Amino acid sequence: AQPWQLRLPSDVFAGAELEPGHMLAVRERPYGFGLWRSHDAQPFYLVVHDTWANALQARPVSVN
């Protein structure tokens, strides 16, 4: 396995109450990766592959 670095937005880092030395669970998903603190039921951050992110872009809708 290759080591990698995750850079989080400061508000996500603060909201997740992370501290140096905390262990995270990283689970690969079809869309990318989910990051969990060890005691949480839901991920606190999602890393989404570009192809999925492009598909999720907001698009204007017109009503005729």
Side-chain angles (χ1 to χ4, degrees):
Q2 294 282 0
W4 53 281
Q5 233 179 36
L6 174 67
R7 295 177 187 219
L8 296 171
S10 57
D11 58 332
V12 172
F13 183 83
E17 300 176 354
L18 300 175
E19 296 289 333
H22 277 181
M23 296 296 288
L24 300 177
V26 179
R27 298 180 188 148
E28 190 168 7
R29 300 293 191 219
Y31 55 77
F33 298 91
L35 283 81
W36 281 259
R37 294 183 310 167
S38 59
H39 58 279
D40 289 345
Q42 298 292 322
F44 71 88
Y45 196 69
L46 301 175
V47 179
V48 180
H49 293 303
D50 289 342
T51 53
W52 278 72
N54 292 337
L56 296 172
Q57 295 299 319
R59 292 178 180 82
V61 176
S62 62
V63 178
N64 293 332

